Structure formats: structure tokens, C-alpha cells
Amino acid sequence: MNQYAIREIQADEWAKVKELRLAALADPAAPVAFLESPAEAAAQPDSFWQRRTEGGAVGRGARQFIAEAADGRWVGSVTVLVESAGTSGIFDEEIPVDQGHLVGVFVRPEQRGSGLTERLFQAALDWAWSLEGPALERVRLFVHEDNARAGAFYRRFGFVASGVTVPMPGDSGAKEFEYLIARP
């Protein structure tokens, strides 16, 4: 597992960000893991990927972490979005406290179960807890009701179901469950 470096993306790495996102959206689990289709992502111009990558590499609003193999291949990713109290979240819900929101969790199939996801999550949480002015009270994520493998991982990692559910956009009747982890 040490053959992978866990690090923050750099603003000029947009082509690799795009490639990894398209790989994630092509995964068989993508329909219950992401709110975007492969066609939607592939249709975005390079300028979209450049802005997205810059947003995940600098500033306080978001940070994307990747797992990079010794040969430079990216094999996993997670992004932390910072949500401020009183704003609206991605499901149009009111954000009650300053918090982080983990999104875009993906590890290539051949690395699943290897401990790489734990390392990515730890880097993301370490960054979230290091923020000041104001400090984040908690970090959350959502999991689709049919994504039992992800839900089990989040619970093992220390996330707890909050009891909040939201409808899955574009999937009539499906729900997303919120999981939280409090600041240590």
C-alpha cells in the first residue's frame, strides 16, 4: 500500500482529474454513487475541468485528494467540500453548522479492499479538521440506499447515520442517507 502517495491535486492537473472522474462514472457502481452521468461529464469542455481542478486545489472551499501510483497513474480520489452554516447544500437543504462534505469517492476496482480508501479518507479528514476561521464541526457524506458496500465502509470508518434522508435526484423513489463524523 505504500506504493501509493496520497496528496492534494495541483491546479494544472485537470486532464488527470477529468480522466479519473470519467473512469469513476464508467464504474458499474456509478449510478448509485454519483449524481452525474458519464455522458454529462464527457460533454464538458476543457475549461470546465480546468476550473473544477483549480477549485479543488486552492482555497478553503474544497480540496481533492488523490492516490497516485509510483508510475504517476491516479487510482483513487475523494473531495471535501466546505459548507457554511446558513447556506444550502447540494440537495437544497439548509446547512446547520460549518461542516465538510465528502463527495466523489472512488477507488479503481483493482485497489478496492486494499486500505487505500481509508488512507484517502484520513487525508481528507485531516485537512477538514485543520481548517480554522471557523473550524468545521463535522464532516458528512451521503450514500444511496442501494450502495450497501459504501455504507458499510463509512460505518467502519466511524461515520454514523444521522437519520436524515433525501430523495435521490433523477431516481424516483430512491433515497440517499446522510452519515456524519464529528470533529475529534
Side-chain angles (χ1 to χ4, degrees), residues 148-160:
R149 178 183 171 104
F153 169 78
Y154 302 145
R155 288 188 300 277
R156 277 194 317 276
F157 198 82
F159 283 82
V160 187

Side-chain angles (χ1 to χ4, degrees), residues 6-146:
I6 307 298
R7 66 173 181 82
E8 299 173 16
I9 62 168
Q10 302 300 307
D12 63 348
E13 295 178 312
W14 66 269
K16 284 188 166 187
V17 167
K18 178 181 178 180
E19 185 279 325
L20 191 62
R21 180 65 174 188
L22 293 176
L25 294 172
D27 187 271
V32 296
F34 299 105
L35 301 177
E36 177 181 38
S37 75
E40 290 168 331
Q44 295 293 344
D46 289 348
S47 59
F48 167 86
W49 295 101
Q50 291 162 353
R51 284 189 311 275
R52 182 179 183 143
T53 302
E54 185 175 338
V58 297
R60 176 188 160 91
R63 193 60 45 102
Q64 183 175 357
F65 294 86
I66 55 99
E68 182 176 34
D71 65 2
R73 183 172 185 249
W74 289 8
V75 298
S77 177
V78 64
T79 299
V80 183
L81 305 176
V82 175
E83 299 174 322
S84 299
T87 63
S88 294
I90 64 171
F91 297 110
D92 292 325
E93 76 286 11
E94 184 176 338
I95 305 301
V97 298
D98 292 321
Q99 63 189 16
H101 186 162
L102 296 184
V103 297
V105 178
F106 175 70
V107 172
R108 293 186 193 266
E110 61 272 19
Q111 276 80 33
R112 292 180 188 155
S114 68
L116 195 55
T117 307
E118 288 88 342
R119 292 182 59 205
L120 283 164
F121 266 55
Q122 193 59 59
L125 289 175
D126 287 347
W127 178 80
W129 302 142
S130 75
L131 294 175
E132 298 177 2
L136 304 183
E137 292 186 33
R138 64 189 192 181
V139 171
R140 71 176 182 159
L141 52 81
F142 284 89
V143 63
H144 190 283
E145 64 185 338
D146 293 336

